[in-house]
Amino acid sequence: MQRIRIRYAKRGPLRFTSHRDFARAFERALRRAGIPIAFSQGFTPHPKISYASAAPTGVASEAEYLEIGLQTHTDPETVRAALDAALSPGLDVLDAVEAGPGSLADRIDASHWRIEFPGITDETLTKAVTAFRDAPEVAVERLTKQGKRQLDARTPVTRIEVKSEGGAPSGVGAAPCAILDLVVRQVTPSVRPDDVLSGLRVVADLEPPLPPRATRLAQGLLTAQGEIVDPLAADRDGATIGGS
Protein backbone atom coordinates (compact mmCIF):
# COMPACT_ATOMS: atom_id res chain seq x y z
CA MET A 1 0.00 0.00 0.00
CA GLN A 2 1.28 3.45 -0.96
CA ARG A 3 0.80 6.26 1.56
CA ILE A 4 0.32 9.87 0.44
CA ARG A 5 0.50 12.83 2.82
CA ILE A 6 -1.54 15.89 1.91
CA ARG A 7 -1.61 19.52 2.99
CA TYR A 8 -4.86 21.41 2.43
CA ALA A 9 -6.41 24.77 3.27
CA LYS A 10 -9.78 25.91 4.64
CA ARG A 11 -10.51 29.40 3.33
CA GLY A 12 -13.30 31.94 3.29
CA PRO A 13 -16.79 30.66 4.22
CA LEU A 14 -15.49 27.07 4.06
CA ARG A 15 -13.67 27.71 7.35
CA PHE A 16 -17.04 27.00 8.98
CA THR A 17 -16.92 23.41 7.69
CA SER A 18 -16.75 21.07 10.67
CA HIS A 19 -14.18 18.27 10.73
CA ARG A 20 -16.95 15.69 10.26
CA ASP A 21 -18.39 17.56 7.27
CA PHE A 22 -14.93 17.89 5.74
CA ALA A 23 -14.30 14.17 6.18
CA ARG A 24 -17.52 13.38 4.32
CA ALA A 25 -16.69 15.88 1.56
CA PHE A 26 -13.17 14.46 1.25
CA GLU A 27 -14.43 10.89 0.87
CA ARG A 28 -16.83 12.03 -1.86
CA ALA A 29 -13.96 13.88 -3.56
CA LEU A 30 -11.87 10.69 -3.53
CA ARG A 31 -14.66 8.86 -5.37
CA ARG A 32 -15.24 11.66 -7.89
CA ALA A 33 -11.52 11.96 -8.58
CA GLY A 34 -11.13 8.22 -9.09
CA ILE A 35 -8.36 7.95 -6.49
CA PRO A 36 -7.61 4.23 -5.80
CA ILE A 37 -8.08 4.55 -2.04
CA ALA A 38 -7.29 1.51 0.10
CA PHE A 39 -9.81 0.20 2.64
CA SER A 40 -9.52 -1.37 6.05
CA GLN A 41 -10.31 -5.04 6.53
CA GLY A 42 -13.31 -6.35 8.43
CA PHE A 43 -17.11 -6.39 8.30
CA THR A 44 -17.41 -2.63 7.58
CA PRO A 45 -14.37 -1.50 5.57
CA HIS A 46 -13.43 2.17 5.85
CA PRO A 47 -11.20 4.24 3.55
CA LYS A 48 -7.64 4.50 4.87
CA ILE A 49 -7.55 8.18 5.87
CA SER A 50 -5.91 9.61 8.98
CA TYR A 51 -6.12 13.27 10.03
CA ALA A 52 -3.62 15.30 12.05
CA SER A 53 -4.64 18.12 14.41
CA ALA A 54 -7.69 19.49 12.60
CA ALA A 55 -8.41 23.20 13.15
CA PRO A 56 -11.54 24.16 15.14
CA THR A 57 -14.73 24.92 13.21
CA GLY A 58 -14.85 28.57 12.12
CA VAL A 59 -11.06 28.91 11.96
CA ALA A 60 -9.32 29.35 8.60
CA SER A 61 -6.17 27.39 7.91
CA GLU A 62 -3.38 27.20 5.37
CA ALA A 63 -1.85 24.12 6.99
CA GLU A 64 -4.17 21.15 7.55
CA TYR A 65 -2.72 17.67 7.07
CA LEU A 66 -3.96 14.16 6.40
CA GLU A 67 -2.63 10.85 5.10
CA ILE A 68 -4.30 8.39 2.75
CA GLY A 69 -3.48 4.83 1.74
CA LEU A 70 -3.74 3.84 -1.92
CA GLN A 71 -4.22 0.41 -3.49
CA THR A 72 -1.95 1.19 -6.44
CA HIS A 73 1.05 3.48 -6.87
CA THR A 74 -0.02 6.94 -8.06
CA ASP A 75 1.95 10.13 -8.66
CA PRO A 76 1.37 12.45 -5.66
CA GLU A 77 0.93 15.53 -7.88
CA THR A 78 -1.76 13.68 -9.86
CA VAL A 79 -3.54 12.93 -6.58
CA ARG A 80 -3.24 16.56 -5.46
CA ALA A 81 -4.58 18.03 -8.68
CA ALA A 82 -7.49 15.57 -8.92
CA LEU A 83 -8.60 16.11 -5.33
CA ASP A 84 -8.26 19.90 -5.61
CA ALA A 85 -10.54 19.85 -8.66
CA ALA A 86 -13.07 17.60 -6.92
CA LEU A 87 -13.36 19.67 -3.73
CA SER A 88 -15.29 22.94 -3.43
CA PRO A 89 -13.33 26.20 -3.80
CA GLY A 90 -12.15 27.14 -0.34
CA LEU A 91 -11.16 23.56 0.44
CA ASP A 92 -7.90 23.66 -1.49
CA VAL A 93 -5.34 20.87 -1.76
CA LEU A 94 -1.94 22.57 -1.68
CA ASP A 95 0.65 19.80 -1.55
CA ALA A 96 1.01 16.02 -1.67
CA VAL A 97 4.05 13.81 -1.13
CA GLU A 98 4.68 10.10 -0.85
CA ALA A 99 5.01 9.24 2.84
CA GLY A 100 8.34 8.16 4.23
CA PRO A 101 9.02 6.33 7.50
CA GLY A 102 7.51 7.51 10.75
CA SER A 103 4.22 9.04 11.79
CA LEU A 104 2.80 12.31 10.48
CA ALA A 105 1.47 13.14 13.95
CA ASP A 106 4.97 12.83 15.42
CA ARG A 107 6.09 15.70 13.18
CA ILE A 108 3.60 18.19 14.59
CA ASP A 109 4.08 19.74 18.03
CA ALA A 110 3.19 23.40 17.44
CA SER A 111 1.00 25.74 15.39
CA HIS A 112 1.60 29.25 14.05
CA TRP A 113 -1.47 31.52 14.05
CA ARG A 114 -2.43 34.93 12.73
CA ILE A 115 -5.37 36.58 14.50
CA GLU A 116 -7.00 39.76 13.19
CA PHE A 117 -8.74 42.13 15.62
CA PRO A 118 -11.02 44.49 13.65
CA GLY A 119 -11.73 47.68 15.57
CA ILE A 120 -8.70 47.25 17.87
CA THR A 121 -5.60 49.45 17.59
CA ASP A 122 -2.03 48.15 17.78
CA GLU A 123 -1.54 50.10 21.02
CA THR A 124 -4.54 48.49 22.74
CA LEU A 125 -3.55 44.99 21.67
CA THR A 126 0.09 45.56 22.65
CA LYS A 127 -0.93 46.44 26.21
CA ALA A 128 -3.00 43.28 26.46
CA VAL A 129 -0.23 41.13 24.99
CA THR A 130 2.32 42.56 27.44
CA ALA A 131 0.07 41.68 30.37
CA PHE A 132 -0.45 38.17 29.00
CA ARG A 133 3.26 37.64 28.35
CA ASP A 134 4.22 38.84 31.84
CA ALA A 135 1.77 36.51 33.58
CA PRO A 136 3.29 33.23 34.83
CA GLU A 137 -0.09 31.52 34.28
CA VAL A 138 -3.42 32.53 32.74
CA ALA A 139 -6.33 30.38 33.85
CA VAL A 140 -9.31 30.28 31.47
CA GLU A 141 -12.45 28.18 31.24
CA ARG A 142 -13.63 26.24 28.19
CA LEU A 143 -17.08 24.70 27.81
CA THR A 144 -16.75 21.06 26.74
CA LYS A 145 -19.21 18.19 26.34
CA GLN A 146 -18.31 17.19 29.90
CA GLY A 147 -18.97 20.71 31.22
CA LYS A 148 -16.65 23.59 32.04
CA ARG A 149 -12.93 22.84 32.12
CA GLN A 150 -10.15 25.08 33.38
CA LEU A 151 -6.78 25.26 31.63
CA ASP A 152 -3.65 27.40 31.52
CA ALA A 153 -3.60 29.45 28.30
CA ARG A 154 -0.15 30.96 28.98
CA THR A 155 2.40 28.15 29.33
CA PRO A 156 1.99 26.58 25.83
CA VAL A 157 2.39 29.99 24.11
CA THR A 158 6.00 30.32 22.90
CA ARG A 159 5.50 33.51 20.88
CA ILE A 160 2.88 36.23 21.12
CA GLU A 161 3.41 39.65 19.56
CA VAL A 162 1.63 42.37 17.66
CA LYS A 163 2.52 42.67 13.97
CA SER A 164 2.39 46.10 12.39
CA GLU A 165 1.21 45.90 8.78
CA GLY A 166 0.39 48.58 6.26
CA GLY A 167 -3.25 48.73 5.19
CA ALA A 168 -6.24 46.94 6.66
CA PRO A 169 -6.37 43.14 6.16
CA SER A 170 -9.36 40.99 5.20
CA GLY A 171 -11.35 43.81 3.65
CA VAL A 172 -12.08 45.66 6.89
CA GLY A 173 -11.79 49.03 5.16
CA ALA A 174 -10.23 52.01 6.94
CA ALA A 175 -11.07 50.79 10.46
CA PRO A 176 -8.13 49.85 12.70
CA CYS A 177 -7.25 46.17 12.72
CA ALA A 178 -4.48 44.89 14.97
CA ILE A 179 -2.73 41.64 14.05
CA LEU A 180 -1.59 39.07 16.59
CA ASP A 181 1.26 36.69 15.71
CA LEU A 182 1.02 33.56 17.86
CA VAL A 183 2.89 30.26 18.19
CA VAL A 184 1.39 27.63 20.48
CA ARG A 185 2.81 24.24 21.46
CA GLN A 186 0.52 21.23 21.39
CA VAL A 187 -0.36 20.14 24.90
CA THR A 188 -3.13 18.14 26.56
CA PRO A 189 -5.67 19.62 26.77
CA SER A 190 -4.90 21.61 23.64
CA VAL A 191 -4.82 25.41 23.83
CA ARG A 192 -6.66 27.00 20.90
CA PRO A 193 -6.76 30.60 19.64
CA ASP A 194 -10.05 31.23 21.42
CA ASP A 195 -8.41 30.18 24.70
CA VAL A 196 -5.70 32.79 24.15
CA LEU A 197 -8.40 35.38 23.41
CA SER A 198 -10.08 34.40 26.68
CA GLY A 199 -6.69 34.84 28.36
CA LEU A 200 -6.33 38.37 26.97
CA ARG A 201 -9.75 39.13 28.37
CA VAL A 202 -8.73 37.78 31.78
CA VAL A 203 -5.43 39.67 32.09
CA ALA A 204 -6.34 42.92 30.30
CA ASP A 205 -10.13 43.01 29.97
CA LEU A 206 -9.74 43.04 26.17
CA GLU A 207 -13.19 43.00 24.56
CA PRO A 208 -12.98 43.32 20.73
CA PRO A 209 -15.98 45.15 19.23
CA LEU A 210 -16.04 42.63 16.36
CA PRO A 211 -15.25 38.90 16.35
CA PRO A 212 -11.50 38.26 15.83
CA ARG A 213 -10.57 36.13 12.84
CA ALA A 214 -7.95 33.40 13.26
CA THR A 215 -5.94 31.69 10.53
CA ARG A 216 -3.53 28.83 11.09
CA LEU A 217 -0.47 29.58 8.97
CA ALA A 218 1.66 26.53 9.75
CA GLN A 219 1.96 23.34 11.76
CA GLY A 220 5.04 21.26 12.44
CA LEU A 221 8.00 20.71 14.72
CA LEU A 222 9.14 23.79 16.63
CA THR A 223 12.90 24.39 16.40
CA ALA A 224 15.10 25.96 19.07
CA GLN A 225 15.10 29.13 16.91
CA GLY A 226 11.31 29.35 17.11
CA GLU A 227 10.69 28.29 13.50
CA ILE A 228 8.17 25.63 12.50
CA VAL A 229 9.36 22.85 10.17
CA ASP A 230 6.91 21.70 7.49
CA PRO A 231 5.93 18.11 8.43
CA LEU A 232 6.12 17.09 4.76
CA ALA A 233 9.70 18.31 4.40
CA ALA A 234 11.22 15.04 5.60
CA ASP A 235 9.33 13.13 2.89
CA ARG A 236 10.89 15.12 0.08
CA ASP A 237 14.21 14.05 -1.45
CA GLY A 238 17.17 15.29 0.53
CA ALA A 239 15.13 16.78 3.38
CA THR A 240 15.47 15.91 7.06
CA ILE A 241 13.38 16.77 10.09
CA GLY A 242 14.72 19.92 11.65
CA GLY A 243 16.09 21.24 8.36
CA SER A 244 14.80 24.13 6.32
Side-chain angles (χ1 to χ4, degrees):
M1 183 183 70
Q2 182 191 24
R3 294 180 300 138
I4 299 290
R5 289 170 178 164
I6 290 170
R7 176 189 173 201
Y8 66 96
K10 291 172 63 178
R11 297 166 170 162
L14 271 298
R15 70 185 185 277
F16 294 105
T17 304
S18 70
H19 177 63
R20 181 174 296 180
D21 287 341
F22 173 80
R24 286 196 290 261
F26 187 74
E27 290 183 25
R28 289 195 297 268
L30 286 167
R31 291 193 293 270
R32 285 197 298 270
I35 304 299
I37 189 74
F39 286 83
S40 62
Q41 302 298 312
F43 186 71
T44 54
H46 297 285
K48 293 227 172 206
I49 309 171
S50 58
Y51 298 89
S53 304
T57 302
V59 171
S61 179
E62 294 294 315
E64 299 298 287
Y65 293 91
L66 59 81
E67 180 177 299
I68 59 176
L70 302 184
Q71 299 176 28
T72 58
H73 193 278
T74 308
D75 176 59
E77 175 55 24
T78 299
V79 172
R80 187 209 66 77
L83 287 173
D84 190 49
L87 285 165
S88 299
L91 297 176
D92 303 319
V93 183
L94 306 178
D95 198 4
V97 298
E98 186 165 6
S103 164
L104 179 59
D106 289 343
R107 299 181 186 177
I108 298 175
D109 67 3
S111 290
H112 181 195
W113 299 90
R114 168 194 170 98
I115 306 178
E116 300 174 8
F117 289 79
I120 295 290
T121 64
D122 286 358
E123 182 182 8
T124 298
L125 184 57
T126 296
K127 290 179 180 177
V129 165
T130 300
F132 183 94
R133 189 187 293 127
D134 290 345
E137 180 179 313
V138 179
V140 299
E141 284 190 343
R142 180 195 298 167
L143 185 61
T144 70
K145 293 179 181 179
Q146 291 75 37
K148 288 185 178 180
R149 183 170 189 176
Q150 191 171 86
L151 54 87
D152 174 19
R154 174 64 187 93
T155 301
V157 174
T158 65
R159 182 167 81 227
I160 181 168
E161 57 190 28
V162 178
K163 292 190 69 175
S164 295
E165 298 186 356
S170 298
V172 295
C177 183
I179 308 295
L180 186 66
D181 189 59
L182 180 70
V183 174
V184 184
R185 283 193 179 275
Q186 285 192 355
V187 294
T188 302
S190 62
V191 169
R192 308 180 308 203
D194 56 320
D195 298 318
V196 175
L197 300 182
S198 295
L200 293 172
R201 188 179 304 114
V202 167
V203 298
D205 199 27
L206 183 70
E207 293 286 353
L210 296 170
R213 181 168 173 173
T215 301
R216 176 146 60 187
L217 302 178
Q219 292 192 76
L221 290 176
L222 187 65
T223 69
Q225 294 73 36
E227 300 299 323
I228 291 182
V229 179
D230 178 4
L232 303 188
D235 297 314
R236 298 189 178 92
D237 291 341
T240 58
I241 294 178
S244 57

